[in-house]
């Protein structure tokens, strides 16, 4: 299974937001934000786009597959 | 209905109303024994539902039907597991019923149900080829 690192916690911390505030902004539960930050849950594509747009980032800058092959 | 009540109270109050009616019917039909069993059960479930409504967790979100996509996915996996367990249980119970030569007619309904529900699920949730479908090589 592909594991995906993400920068949600880092971006959230930079903006000084709590997990509850981010969850409310994204329309998900606080537990889901925690799971995404810990890499336990891989968000759906629509939610991944919502997260990226919220932080004004591109999706591939927010989510980075661990097993991404280079030079292909 | 019950719009005047806070959202957290609506379902517990509905449970109490239904439980109360059930208790009255039970008392009329079976006597006071019904009240002793139905009423405490109703009170406990309604109280549990109310307490759950105030918590901030996955179980509360799933039970109260207000979950997000992760919780909906989790609920789906739990239901899938429940379906698998039930299918196995029906099979095992059928074997036991044959071995002990007990009544088999309920299994005529229960045994085909898992397969039938799989087929129906496959039909309901099938992907319809859309107009935007592309053929290989294009």
């Amino acid at each position: 299974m592909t594991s995906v690192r993400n920068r949600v916690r880092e971006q959230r911390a930079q903006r000084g937001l709590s997990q509850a505030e981010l969850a409310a902004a994204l329309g998900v539960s606080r537990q889901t934000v925690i799971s995404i930050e810990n890499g336990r849950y891989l968000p759906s594509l629509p939610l991944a786009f919502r997260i990226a747009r919220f932080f004004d980032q591109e999706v591939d800058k927010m989510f980075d597959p661990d097993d991404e092959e280079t030079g292909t | 209905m019950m719009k005047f009540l806070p959202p957290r109270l609506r379902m517990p109050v509905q449970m109490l109303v239904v439980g109360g009616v059930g208790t009255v019917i039970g008392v009329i039909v079976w006597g006071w024994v019904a009240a002793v069993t139905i009423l405490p059960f109703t009170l406990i479930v309604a109280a549990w539902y109310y307490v759950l409504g105030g918590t901030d967790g996955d179980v509360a979100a799933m039970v109260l039907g207000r979950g997000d996509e992760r919780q909906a996915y989790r609920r789906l996996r739990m239901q899938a597991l429940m379906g698998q367990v039930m299918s196995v249980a029906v099979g095992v119970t059928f074997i036991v019923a044959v071995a002990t030569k007990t009544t088999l007619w309920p299994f005529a309904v229960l045994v085909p149900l898992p397969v039938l529900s799989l087929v129906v699920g496959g039909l309901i949730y099938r992907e319809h080829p859309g107009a935007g479908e592309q053929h290989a090589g294009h």
Side-chain angles (χ1 to χ4, degrees):
Chain A
M1 194 177 134
T2 304
S3 67
V4 177
R5 286 173 303 198
N6 69 70
R7 299 173 61 206
V8 174
R9 189 191 301 270
E10 176 191 327
Q11 290 290 327
R12 179 177 62 76
Q14 276 181 15
R15 284 162 177 75
L17 290 169
S18 68
Q19 288 170 331
E21 287 167 336
L22 178 60
L26 295 172
V28 297
S29 65
R30 191 174 57 84
Q31 287 77 21
T32 294
V33 169
I34 294 168
S35 291
I36 292 170
E37 286 188 353
N38 292 332
R40 288 199 305 267
Y41 176 66
L42 203 55
S44 67
L45 204 51
L47 179 55
F49 271 104
R50 280 213 306 277
I51 293 169
R53 283 179 186 147
F54 178 80
F55 290 119
D56 204 20
Q57 299 278 324
E58 290 173 8
V59 173
D60 60 351
K61 295 281 190 297
M62 287 297 299
F63 298 93
D64 178 29
D66 270 346
D67 64 349
E68 195 172 53
E69 291 178 11
T70 52
T72 52
Chain B
M1 190 181 153
M2 297 195 188
K3 288 273 182 328
F4 58 92
L5 286 173
R8 191 180 163 191
L9 268 177
R10 283 176 199 159
M11 187 53 85
V13 168
Q14 283 179 39
M15 286 175 175
L16 288 174
V17 170
V18 172
V21 172
T23 305
V24 170
I25 293 169
V27 168
I28 292 168
V29 178
W30 294 295
W32 289 105
V33 179
V36 177
T37 50
I38 299 172
L39 205 58
F41 178 76
T42 305
L43 289 172
I44 289 167
V45 172
W48 173 74
Y49 212 88
Y50 178 77
V51 170
L52 206 60
T55 58
D56 174 32
D58 280 355
V59 175
M62 286 188 286
V63 170
L64 302 175
R66 60 181 183 203
D68 58 24
E69 62 170 49
R70 184 183 62 83
Q71 289 156 339
Y73 178 61
R74 196 177 155 196
R75 186 171 60 226
L76 205 64
R77 291 178 71 185
M78 286 162 64
Q79 288 170 339
L81 177 68
M82 190 175 74
Q84 286 173 340
V85 170
M86 289 303 291
S87 301
V88 172
V90 167
V92 170
T93 316
F94 176 66
I95 292 165
V96 171
V98 169
T100 55
K101 295 177 182 172
T102 52
T103 312
L104 289 176
W105 70 261
F107 294 99
V109 179
L110 289 174
V111 172
L113 260 182
V115 177
L116 194 69
S117 56
L118 263 182
V119 172
V120 171
L123 289 171
I124 291 172
Y125 302 117
R126 72 181 185 273
E127 290 181 7
H128 300 276
E133 188 180 18
Q134 292 185 341
H135 299 288
H138 294 282

